[in-house]
Amino acid sequence: MRFGKTLKASIYPPWEGKYIDYAKLKGMLRERELDGDDSDSEPQPWTENDEESFVQELVNVQLDKVNAFQSEMSQQLRDRTNACEAKLMPLARKSSGDDGEIDEKKRKEIAEEAVQELDQITKEVSELEKYSRINFSGFLKAAKKHDRKRGARYRIRPLLQVRLSQLSFNSEDYSPLLHRLSAMYTFTRQILGLELPEGQEASGDGRLGHDSYVSYKFWVHTDNIVEVKTHILRRLPVLLYNPTTSKDLDVSQKDPTITSLYFDNSSFDLYNQKVTRAEGAGSLRLRWSGDLNEAPAIFLEKKVVVSEDRSREVRVQLKGKHVQEFLKGEYKFEKKVHRLEDRAQGESQEAQALKKEVEELQSFIKEHDLQPMLRANYTRTAFQIPGDDRIRISLDTNLALIREDALDPQRPCRDPDDWHRRDIDDLGMQYPFSSINKGEIARFPHALLEIKLRNGARHVEWLHDLMVSHLVKEAPRFSKFVHGVASLFEDHINSLPFWLGELENDIRQDPQTAFQQEQEREAQRAEEDFVVGSFLGAKGSPLQTMMGSPISRMGAGRGSSPGRSTMLSGTPSRVERPSITAKDIPRTTEISKPSPTTEATPSQPAQSQEGAASTSYLGSLFPSFSMSRYAQAHRQRGSKLPPGVSAPEVWIKDAGPVRVESKVWLANQRTFIKWQHVSVLLASLSLALYNAAGINNIVAQALAIVYTFFAVFASVWGWYMYEKRARLIRQRSGKDLDNMFGPLVVCIGLAGALLLNFGFKYKATLDAARGYAYPSSVEMLTNATTDSLFTVQSNV
């Protein structure tokens, strides 16, 4: 089917007129003149004005129209979702035990109205995602048509791909919105007394099988491959394929070359199902490792998507000589079935299972008329702890996608009577396959990193650091099969994956920029969690149990990162990273400082931030009594350690004898001597004031007594700080040795003395000007005070 007909069939009637005007673009290209259909008039030359008009219409007018409508509808759907949340919020507070006057009948009426609105929102979210995909394909199709028919001087597809990567309509992540809709759906079902759909009764961890994995996919620039490998190698060993024996392990062997041969039919039904993520979509491939001439084990694998987050796989092992017979339905593993039955002395479950798998695979091939279409050849480096499959990481490099079809009977890429290309396998071709024709091969420019986490292996800090770093770029739902078909069979398909628009971009990032983006995603995720958590008031509800699982916490609403998707039931996706909840090893010297650009979130209101800022100055003056959130959490942390981790009796830093540099110890003593010097000066000042004061000069006497207390304080404070700092040095503590409380007290006292001295001096000057005789005692007091204060102040 031509793309124009596909576009017409995909139009959502309420949005008619908002799609790309593909017919107008084809008319501007004057395609009929090139095809010779317009026989009434002679073809007109393609001018600069024609070129400019087409580019303006495609890149500016049509693209801006589609992007503006997508942004407008996306915002409307969010506003409508917010309105639903506001309508259901009183019911959520009522469920959680808050006071309210809403009766049961009114609750159900509100819930029914909300369900109707949620149904409409969910439908339009699905249509908007289809709208984005079909328009994205239309822009690339129009650009390709221009480059093929009018691109002798100018090629606009690279320009268009750069423009597409700057817009949001082809990278909008609807997963956070779906996550909120899912929470409200579950909440309204509880109010209406409806049962949850099958598969949601269990908790988040129980919902997935024991052997289920959550997969994260990334692109890695060639400049960062070595750094990514070394980052992983520090924690996981390289998995060696097929070592000879455990005693004779060849660690110098090269990474294996893996070949996957994907199947599809001439209509590319399996491809279209996979791109649209249709439920029940299946795929089929042959896979082997190494050179086919070495007779490796060949596996025929069928994978069927059961639900949004689960799939089922059927696999049988074949020999090369039996592959073609099996594909035709002539080979059914009769010998192996008989052998299993003889071993069990009759019918056996293994034999029945094998028969069922063979019948399923052969019927699947026959039903869809499948044939080999695409070969993916790549070098794989696998990382895994032997015997522990909780964390599996693979890094694929040198990915080449090669046509393996026989669609063109005149020039087939593969012999229609054979199951693989002989020119590649018989000659043992290797990457970069330079002898393959240009239109038959597509070399992927980046490496592919896939991280698979099994249940129970969610909170791994070093993996989280890698996945949010500048070294990788998220590529959710990336598929070698989909990318190969989209790159090599574009004329046969009408739907393209979104990541095609990002291939022309440089995926390398600045580390600081990557960090800031991750902070923004964390804030957005906290906001989404806060909104969804409002509907979890009823204790023991299935949704609350599901949302409390590690999987849902990792996948809850990381909505600002393009290219990642959160599944409806809360499984991880492109915006989700494992939330680090505990350290593997306790640390005492690392203190994470908040970013100065951190904004208030619902879980951290702006008022608390203002309160923390107001106490920061006092906390600097009195560090032992800090009221910061970190200090409070540190004091309350106590015995909160991860399961299986106990507090060490002796820290590594405390092992061995205490070695203190002489300058450190002498500095502490020198500070103590300085404080005693200040104490002696203050005592001398107080004695001079008391002796100079007359019997009737009560102010001077009181001032002398006050300064006696200051002298005592300076002496005691100096001794206290000396002992405290000596203890911290002996204990090898990481605490700060400075303290401003003592100097602050002394300085305030000296400032007060200076003010009083100024007052006395000023009064004496006025009295002398009026002709009064100034008492000699007061003059001696002011002179002594001035001299002593400057001496003490210089020492402090």
Side-chain angles (χ1 to χ4, degrees):
M1 182 183 296
R2 292 183 176 272
F3 180 77
K5 295 182 179 179
T6 303
L7 176 62
K8 187 176 181 180
S10 303
I11 291 178
Y12 182 49
W15 299 345
E16 189 174 4
K18 303 298 184 180
Y19 289 75
I20 179 176
D21 195 343
Y22 191 71
K24 181 179 180 179
L25 293 172
K26 288 178 61 178
M28 294 182 68
L29 284 175
R30 302 205 299 270
E31 188 177 9
R32 292 187 176 182
E33 295 182 4
L34 295 174
D35 296 337
D37 296 340
D38 193 3
S39 56
D40 297 337
S41 60
E42 296 183 359
Q44 298 294 324
W46 183 259
T47 63
E48 293 287 344
N49 292 334
D50 297 331
E51 181 75 27
E52 183 178 357
S53 299
F54 180 82
V55 172
Q56 289 293 331
E57 181 69 24
L58 176 67
V59 179
N60 293 329
V61 178
Q62 296 294 329
L63 191 56
D64 288 346
K65 178 183 73 173
V66 171
N67 183 68
F69 178 76
Q70 190 276 339
S71 300
E72 178 185 355
M73 286 303 304
S74 180
Q75 186 61 43
Q76 288 183 10
L77 292 174
R78 289 189 178 88
D79 294 340
R80 292 167 62 184
T81 303
N82 294 336
C84 270
E85 289 172 348
K87 184 184 297 184
L88 293 174
M89 197 64 69
L91 307 186
R93 289 195 292 266
K94 177 65 176 178
S95 299
S96 61
D98 294 347
D99 295 335
E101 300 297 335
I102 305 177
D103 57 10
E104 191 63 25
K105 182 178 180 181
K106 183 64 174 178
R107 284 166 53 85
K108 289 188 176 182
E109 290 180 358
I110 296 175
E112 290 175 354
E113 293 176 0
V115 168
Q116 295 178 0
E117 179 66 13
L118 291 174
D119 289 339
Q120 186 64 25
I121 293 174
T122 305
K123 178 183 178 181
E124 292 192 4
V125 170
S126 177
E127 292 295 339
L128 189 58
E129 197 274 337
K130 296 177 182 177
Y131 171 89
S132 300
R133 188 187 317 114
I134 193 66
N135 282 283
F136 175 78
S137 302
F139 284 114
L140 292 183
K141 288 280 186 180
K144 182 179 180 181
K145 189 178 289 292
H146 167 275
D147 292 348
R148 185 167 51 189
K149 296 182 178 295
R150 300 293 189 181
R153 288 177 293 178
Y154 304 104
R155 302 184 64 84
I156 65 170
R157 179 158 179 167
L159 171 65
L160 179 66
Q161 288 182 334
V162 172
R163 184 86 168 89
L164 286 172
S165 65
Q166 298 172 349
L167 302 178
S168 61
F169 90 90
N170 65 315
S171 59
E172 178 76 19
D173 182 22
Y174 304 101
S175 301
L177 187 60
L178 292 176
H179 191 73
R180 296 163 64 184
L181 294 173
S182 175
M184 288 187 284
Y185 263 123
T186 307
F187 178 71
T188 52
R189 289 192 193 102
Q190 292 175 347
I191 296 178
L192 298 175
L194 302 177
E195 296 182 358
L196 290 175
E198 183 180 357
Q200 288 190 5
E201 294 85 349
S203 63
D205 285 342
R207 179 173 49 81
L208 297 177
H210 178 71
D211 294 328
S212 298
Y213 287 86
V214 179
S215 177
Y216 303 88
K217 297 182 180 181
F218 305 89
W219 293 350
V220 181
H221 194 274
T222 53
D223 294 350
N224 298 329
I225 291 178
V226 175
E227 190 170 355
V228 170
K229 282 186 177 181
T230 54
H231 182 88
I232 301 173
L233 279 173
R234 297 188 184 103
R235 287 88 180 177
L236 292 180
V238 175
L239 184 64
L240 300 179
Y241 287 80
N242 300 324
T244 54
T245 64
S246 58
K247 296 182 180 179
D248 184 17
L249 188 62
D250 183 12
V251 296
S252 63
Q253 62 177 304
K254 297 181 179 180
D255 292 328
T257 299
I258 298 178
T259 303
S260 296
L261 204 61
Y262 294 96
F263 287 70
D264 210 335
N265 53 32
S266 57
S267 300
F268 290 92
D269 293 334
L270 300 187
Y271 167 85
N272 291 323
Q273 292 176 5
K274 194 171 183 67
V275 170
T276 58
R277 302 194 303 277
E279 187 172 341
S283 61
L284 187 71
R285 70 175 180 181
L286 285 167
R287 183 173 60 86
W288 66 88
S289 176
D291 195 343
L292 195 60
N293 292 329
E294 300 175 356
I298 303 175
F299 296 93
L300 180 62
E301 301 171 342
K302 174 195 173 186
K303 188 175 182 180
V304 179
V305 177
V306 178
S307 64
E308 205 50 55
D309 60 340
R310 289 186 294 175
S311 61
R312 183 175 62 87
E313 186 174 294
V314 180
R315 184 173 76 164
V316 297
Q317 182 176 344
L318 292 165
K319 293 182 179 180
K321 61 182 179 180
H322 297 314
V323 173
Q324 187 66 19
E325 298 176 4
F326 186 90
L327 297 179
K328 292 181 178 181
E330 301 172 357
Y331 180 73
K332 298 183 179 294
F333 288 88
E334 293 88 352
K335 293 183 179 181
K336 188 173 183 179
V337 171
H338 291 323
R339 193 161 52 246
L340 293 174
E341 292 176 347
D342 293 341
R343 186 183 305 168
Q345 297 181 353
E347 293 290 336
S348 68
Q349 294 183 353
E350 293 184 5
Q352 292 298 324
L354 180 59
K355 288 181 181 179
K356 185 177 179 180
E357 290 175 351
V358 170
E359 182 179 353
E360 180 178 352
L361 288 171
Q362 292 182 339
S363 62
F364 183 72
I365 295 173
K366 183 178 180 180
E367 178 184 355
H368 293 86
D369 191 21
L370 301 179
Q371 58 175 304
M373 280 289 179
L374 179 73
R375 176 189 296 243
N377 184 277
Y378 50 92
T379 302
R380 168 161 292 183
T381 306
F383 303 88
Q384 181 183 327
I385 298 177
D388 185 358
D389 60 352
R390 291 177 299 172
I391 301 176
R392 298 164 56 186
I393 301 178
S394 62
L395 183 64
D396 298 338
T397 56
N398 298 336
L399 172 59
L401 302 160
I402 306 173
R403 291 184 60 164
E404 196 88 12
D405 64 286
L407 297 177
D408 186 357
Q410 303 297 327
R411 300 182 58 184
C413 299
R414 166 187 53 84
D415 186 354
D417 297 328
D418 205 348
W419 62 275
H420 67 106
R421 290 183 61 159
R422 293 287 179 178
D423 59 337
I424 297 177
D425 296 320
D426 292 348
L427 299 177
M429 292 186 187
Q430 296 181 352
Y431 189 87
F433 301 97
S434 54
S435 60
I436 302 294
N437 296 332
K438 183 178 180 180
E440 298 178 2
I441 185 172
R443 299 174 183 86
F444 192 71
H446 311 301
L448 300 175
L449 177 69
E450 183 174 9
I451 300 175
K452 292 184 177 180
L453 301 179
R454 189 176 175 180
N455 292 348
R458 300 289 189 255
H459 310 301
V460 185
E461 182 180 7
W462 67 269
L463 275 179
H464 176 268
D465 293 340
L466 175 62
M467 291 191 289
V468 301
S469 70
H470 66 287
L471 300 175
V472 298
K473 175 180 174 54
E474 298 160 306
R477 297 192 302 272
F478 179 84
S479 168
K480 301 181 183 72
F481 169 59
V482 172
H483 183 77
V485 173
S487 301
L488 299 173
F489 298 92
E490 191 172 348
D491 293 338
H492 297 79
I493 57 176
N494 291 325
S495 184
L496 301 173
F498 284 142
W499 64 74
L500 286 182
E502 302 181 8
L503 285 180
E504 300 295 331
N505 299 336
D506 189 355
I507 65 173
R508 290 171 293 186
Q509 284 185 305
D510 177 68
Q512 183 64 26
T513 303
F515 174 77
Q516 292 176 355
Q517 291 176 353
E518 180 60 22
Q519 294 298 309
E520 295 173 359
R521 288 193 291 262
E522 291 290 344
Q524 178 68 20
R525 179 168 57 188
E527 182 180 354
E528 297 293 342
D529 288 343
F530 175 78
V531 174
V532 173
S534 302
F535 298 101
L536 307 182
K539 294 184 178 180
S541 65
L543 179 60
Q544 185 177 20
T545 307
M546 179 179 68
M547 288 300 298
S549 66
I551 301 177
S552 63
R553 286 195 300 270
M554 289 166 49
R558 184 186 249 236
S560 61
S561 174
R564 207 186 293 191
S565 66
T566 309
M567 303 306 178
L568 186 63
S569 55
T571 52
S573 66
R574 76 173 173 187
V575 283
E576 292 67 39
R577 301 280 192 225
S579 302
I580 305 305
T581 59
K583 306 291 185 182
D584 294 334
I585 301 176
R587 301 179 183 178
T588 58
T589 58
E590 288 190 7
I591 300 177
S592 66
K593 299 182 180 179
S595 172
T597 59
T598 303
E599 298 178 357
T601 63
S603 60
Q604 180 183 319
Q607 290 82 353
S608 63
Q609 292 184 344
E610 294 174 0
S614 63
T615 60
S616 60
Y617 179 70
L618 293 178
S620 64
L621 297 180
F622 306 99
S624 300
F625 304 94
S626 175
M627 298 301 296
S628 65
R629 288 188 298 275
Y630 171 77
Q632 294 176 5
H634 184 72
R635 289 194 292 267
Q636 297 174 0
R637 184 168 54 187
S639 60
K640 293 182 180 179
L641 295 174
V645 178
S646 59
E649 297 179 359
V650 180
W651 295 96
I652 296 178
K653 69 181 182 62
D654 296 336
V658 179
R659 294 185 177 88
V660 182
E661 295 185 16
S662 300
K663 63 179 182 179
V664 176
W665 196 262
L666 293 175
N668 190 26
Q669 293 181 346
R670 184 168 59 251
T671 305
F672 168 70
I673 294 173
K674 282 288 186 182
W675 273 109
Q676 301 310 310
H677 188 199
V678 171
S679 176
V680 171
L681 289 177
L682 287 173
S684 302
L685 172 62
S686 63
L687 183 61
L689 288 175
Y690 193 83
N691 291 334
I695 299 176
N696 298 325
N697 196 344
I698 301 176
V699 176
Q701 292 178 359
L703 194 60
I705 295 173
V706 170
Y707 276 96
T708 301
F709 284 107
F710 277 117
V712 174
F713 171 80
S715 179
V716 174
W717 178 262
W719 174 256
Y720 167 73
M721 290 305 300
Y722 171 75
E723 289 294 332
K724 179 181 178 181
R725 288 165 178 163
R727 184 175 65 256
L728 293 178
I729 292 172
R730 288 193 299 269
Q731 293 176 353
R732 290 182 279 209
S733 174
K735 297 180 180 179
D736 293 335
L737 299 178
D738 58 334
N739 198 312
M740 295 183 61
F741 180 73
L744 187 63
V745 172
V746 175
C747 288
I748 291 175
L750 295 180
L754 288 173
L755 291 176
L756 289 175
N757 181 69
F758 175 78
F760 292 148
K761 197 73 173 179
Y762 182 73
K763 186 175 183 301
T765 304
L766 290 179
D767 292 342
R770 293 172 181 173
Y772 296 106
Y774 197 79
S776 60
S777 60
V778 175
E779 186 176 358
M780 292 174 59
L781 170 65
T782 54
N783 293 335
T785 303
T786 304
D787 297 339
S788 300
L789 285 176
F790 280 112
T791 304
V792 174
Q793 191 175 25
S794 62
N795 283 276
V796 173

